[in-house]
Amino acid sequence: MTESGPNAGHRRSFDQNGQHKHMWSDGTSLIMWQLILPAVAECITSELLPIPTTISTLGLLSSLPNIVGAFLGGIRTGFERQSNDHDTLQLCEITKVYFLAAFTSFPFIAVHAAEVSVLSGPTVGFMYVMTAFVSAAAAFVLGCTVPNALAVRAKGGEEAEQFHAAGSSEGRRRLLIGMAMLVGSALVKSNFAPIIFDDVEVDGSTSRTTELLIGLGFAVLGAACGSQATSPIQANILTCALVGVSFSAIRRMETADSTLNPMFETLLTKFVGSFCGAASGFASMLPDTELTMASASALLMNAVIALVFAAIYYTFDHEGLDACAYSLREYCA
């Protein structure tokens, strides 16, 4: 899609300059941001969302990150359209590639649609997929209006100063400190929550802190791999295929009466939930400029992909599908 407007030339030079892609304007590297942003997303989805207590709240809370992620993607796009500042554009780009990618999960849509189809029929599963994508598009459009609304409320040149504050060197330092504190708080919570809430761990199972650390590693790795995908469609197909292959393998191992090592189960669960979720292209399939016919067609194509894989997952035996859904919910709740 060809981009037009006052910022088009700046963004093209920004994308074509290899140094700009990997450094801030003051010469500092992006590596810390590429590590901390997926980690923050993993902590929010794994530790900070409330634990669902019913099937209906389970589905709602598991789907919520995708809708919220689309809304945040709209805000990011709105900020990007208003700015010609290199560091602000850089911040918008890495937020999409490393935070929103790890915060959302395309495979979950397909898996949950299959689960809903088993419980309530294929028609309901089809409606779930279409509702998920329509809700994401609506949330994205709504998010795009937020920066304009903030600019209208600001007086004089205050909006420009406030807008570029986060992209400044001092603003970035404060953001990094805040995100590091969030990750640290999530690790503390995962360590002490079983003691505080008298949640006794099963003998031989991995601790919540270990699970979170594994999830953090997979989220960072998944976001890095997803950033190398040539298109969102490619990323979504590959990650959905990985989810299916992983749980076909685990079901075969279970039916062979072999006892699975708890650490291996944890690694598989986090691979499916954290790695495949972060590597998928849900955030990347959101438009870079605005919702047009071309971007709407791309969303429709991704919806078709979700329906195809939902049909494939529907053929799983119910225990295998439940295990697959559980792993993705462990990532989202």
Side-chain angles (χ1 to χ4, degrees):
M1 180 171 57
T2 303
E3 184 177 351
S4 60
N7 296 335
H10 181 83
R11 290 200 184 95
R12 281 194 292 269
S13 64
F14 170 79
D15 290 337
Q16 291 171 0
N17 189 321
Q19 182 181 11
H20 284 188
K21 284 186 177 181
H22 303 287
M23 301 181 71
W24 299 105
S25 60
D26 59 7
T28 56
S29 174
L30 295 177
I31 186 65
M32 286 299 298
W33 291 82
Q34 294 166 346
L35 294 174
I36 196 70
L37 287 172
V40 169
E42 175 71 16
C43 289
I44 293 173
T45 55
S46 296
E47 289 295 326
L48 302 185
L49 286 180
I51 298 175
T53 56
T54 65
I55 294 178
S56 59
T57 57
L58 189 66
L60 175 62
L61 288 175
S62 300
S63 303
L64 191 61
N66 284 341
I67 298 175
V68 174
F71 178 73
L72 295 176
I75 295 176
R76 180 208 71 86
T77 298
F79 280 152
E80 188 178 51
R81 283 188 299 193
Q82 290 185 1
S83 177
N84 281 319
D85 176 68
H86 168 269
D87 284 348
T88 303
L89 290 173
Q90 186 76 276
L91 184 60
C92 289
E93 181 64 19
I94 63 173
T95 298
K96 175 182 179 179
V97 175
Y98 290 95
F99 175 77
L100 293 179
F103 188 73
T104 57
S105 174
F106 183 89
F108 173 80
I109 298 176
V111 171
H112 191 53
E115 188 180 33
V116 170
S117 298
V118 170
L119 295 175
S120 305
T123 302
V124 179
F126 173 82
M127 292 303 298
Y128 169 78
V129 171
M130 301 312 296
T131 300
F133 278 87
V134 170
S135 300
F140 176 83
V141 172
L142 181 62
C144 287
T145 65
V146 172
N148 289 332
L150 293 176
V152 169
R153 292 184 60 184
K155 297 180 180 179
E158 291 180 4
E159 67 273 15
E161 181 179 351
Q162 295 171 355
F163 180 72
H164 295 301
S168 66
S169 178
E170 178 63 20
R172 297 197 307 272
R173 187 184 68 83
R174 291 179 179 178
L175 279 175
L176 273 178
I177 293 174
M179 290 188 292
M181 292 177 64
L182 177 61
V183 173
S185 299
L187 287 169
V188 170
K189 175 182 178 295
S190 68
N191 189 46
F192 290 102
I195 300 174
I196 296 174
F197 297 105
D198 197 24
D199 184 12
V200 179
E201 296 176 353
V202 179
D203 291 340
S205 64
T206 54
S207 67
R208 290 185 59 179
T209 303
T210 302
E211 290 180 0
L212 179 57
L213 288 172
I214 293 172
L216 292 175
F218 273 134
V220 171
L221 183 60
C225 292
S227 68
Q228 303 301 313
T230 57
S231 70
I233 291 178
Q234 179 194 59
N236 290 335
I237 291 175
L238 287 175
T239 51
C240 285
L242 283 173
V243 168
V245 170
S246 297
F247 278 92
S248 294
I250 196 67
R251 288 300 298 154
R252 288 192 179 94
M253 295 176 66
E254 289 178 345
T255 54
D257 294 328
S258 59
T259 303
L260 295 179
N261 184 285
M263 179 58 72
F264 178 78
E265 285 190 279
T266 299
L267 287 170
L268 181 63
T269 298
K270 289 300 181 181
F271 172 79
V272 171
S274 300
F275 177 85
C276 292
S280 65
F282 186 88
S284 298
M285 73 184 184
L286 298 173
D288 280 325
T289 53
E290 57 188 10
L291 194 62
T292 62
M293 285 299 297
S295 56
S297 298
L299 286 175
L300 181 59
M301 179 62 69
N302 281 281
V304 171
I305 293 172
L307 288 171
V308 169
F309 277 98
I312 294 173
Y313 298 150
Y314 183 73
T315 64
F316 285 12
D317 63 274
H318 290 186
E319 290 185 5
L321 181 60
D322 288 343
C324 188
Y326 171 77
S327 294
L328 286 164
R329 283 181 178 137
E330 279 290 295
Y331 160 77
C332 293

